[in-house]
């Protein structure tokens, strides 16, 4: 089975593209969902490591990650994000590899939804191609402001902490432009699905 990394910046429509692939019967492993499982499970290995490295202030009363405290720290201390990723990414990777081994699909390819993908990423070792969902930054900003009720500056801060468009395009084997309507995206996903099916025959 061919594994494809589905990536894109905040507001690009990556999750919607994943939903359209699922409608076509394609298996999608969501790295964000794996991450949430790790940081929302009290006394998990991830939580223990975060508490050791960052302190008890970053664990909430339920024993999960205190997301508000961590988000504030990351925005004020960029190296904290790197430190957190060094804890979480190997654990996320380990879990995804286990999930990949369990997949038994009639499709000849499957996706790993990866919000953050860089040239030195550990996750490049578990995929054969990269599919980028791409659109203009101004469109992304407007979408996130409407969806999350964030201010323009809040969205720009998030974008500043993600790989640049140039970095993503350099990694991408395939690109879907999502500047148009939902129907446009659905049709683009259907076209890409046909291409992937033909690639792995």
């Amino acid at each position: 089975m061919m594994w494809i990394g589905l990536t894109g910046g905040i507001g690009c429509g990556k999750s919607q593209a994943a939903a359209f692939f699922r409608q076509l019967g394609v298996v999608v492993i969501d790295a964000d969902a794996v991450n949430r499982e790790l940081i929302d499970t009290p006394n998990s290995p991830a939580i223990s490591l975060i508490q050791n490295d960052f302190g008890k202030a970053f664990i909430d009363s339920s024993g999960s990650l205190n997301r508000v405290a961590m988000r504030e720290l990351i925005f004020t201390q960029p190296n904290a994000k790197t430190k957190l990723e060094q804890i979480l990414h190997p654990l996320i990777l380990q879990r995804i590899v286990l999930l990949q081994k369990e997949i038994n699909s009639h499709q000849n390819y499957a996706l790993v939804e990866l919000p953050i993908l860089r040239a030195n990423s550990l996750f490049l070792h578990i995929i054969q191609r990269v599919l980028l969902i791409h659109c203009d930054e101004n469109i992304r900003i407007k979408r996130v402001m409407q969806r999350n009720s964030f201010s323009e500056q809040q969205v720009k801060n998030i974008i500043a902490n993600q790989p640049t468009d140039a970095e993503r395009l350099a990694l991408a084997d395939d690109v879907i432009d999502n500047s148009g309507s939902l129907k446009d995206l659905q049709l683009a996903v259907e076209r890409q699905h046909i291409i992937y099916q033909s690639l792995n025959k």
Side-chain angles (χ1 to χ4, degrees):
M1 182 183 285
M2 178 171 64
W3 284 94
I4 296 158
L6 174 65
T7 193
I10 187 170
C12 69
K14 169 180 49 60
S15 296
Q16 184 59 62
F20 286 139
F21 275 107
R22 285 190 180 97
Q23 288 176 15
L24 296 168
V26 179
V27 171
V28 182
I29 297 174
D30 182 356
D32 257 355
V34 173
N35 179 60
R36 287 193 297 272
E37 182 184 330
L38 290 171
I39 62 176
D40 290 341
T41 303
N43 302 315
S44 70
I47 292 298
S48 299
L49 289 168
I50 290 168
Q51 182 168 314
N52 286 342
D53 282 19
F54 290 94
K56 290 183 179 179
F58 294 92
I59 309 301
D60 66 20
S61 57
S62 71
S64 303
L65 177 69
N66 185 331
R67 295 179 191 228
V68 174
M70 185 59 74
R71 194 178 298 120
E72 288 175 357
L73 180 70
I74 285 170
F75 281 138
T76 56
Q77 296 182 30
N79 64 319
K81 183 173 184 288
T82 303
K83 191 176 174 182
L84 182 64
E85 287 176 349
Q86 287 171 346
I87 292 171
L88 291 175
H89 283 188
L91 296 172
I92 295 169
L93 179 68
Q94 186 179 52
R95 177 65 179 145
I96 290 174
V97 169
L98 287 174
L99 290 171
Q100 285 180 317
K101 289 176 181 176
E102 293 170 2
I103 299 301
N104 183 18
S105 172
H106 67 281
Q107 297 283 0
N108 56 3
Y109 78 96
L111 300 173
V112 183
E113 189 178 344
L114 296 161
I116 305 297
L117 195 57
R118 292 187 170 90
N120 60 351
S121 174
L122 295 171
F123 299 101
L124 289 172
H125 301 295
I126 59 167
I127 56 177
Q128 284 77 56
R129 293 180 75 86
V130 174
L131 170 59
L132 173 66
I133 310 300
H134 180 69
C135 70
D136 182 78
E137 186 173 301
N138 290 327
I139 295 174
R140 291 164 52 202
I141 290 169
K142 288 176 184 175
R143 285 176 180 167
V144 179
M145 287 172 67
Q146 291 171 355
R147 183 185 71 196
N148 298 77
S149 299
F150 287 173
S151 70
E152 183 175 350
Q153 191 56 52
Q154 282 176 305
V155 183
K156 285 182 175 179
N157 288 343
I158 294 169
I159 289 173
N161 276 291
Q162 294 188 339
T164 64
D165 285 345
E167 287 173 314
R168 287 195 189 90
L169 287 164
L171 276 179
D173 297 290
D174 312 292
V175 180
I176 289 177
D177 185 286
N178 186 28
S179 302
S181 67
L182 269 180
K183 188 63 180 176
D184 292 334
L185 176 61
Q186 184 175 18
L187 291 171
V189 165
E190 290 171 357
R191 287 193 296 270
Q192 199 63 50
H193 175 62
I194 292 168
I195 292 168
Y196 286 151
Q197 286 183 312
S198 67
L199 281 178
N200 203 29
K201 282 185 178 177

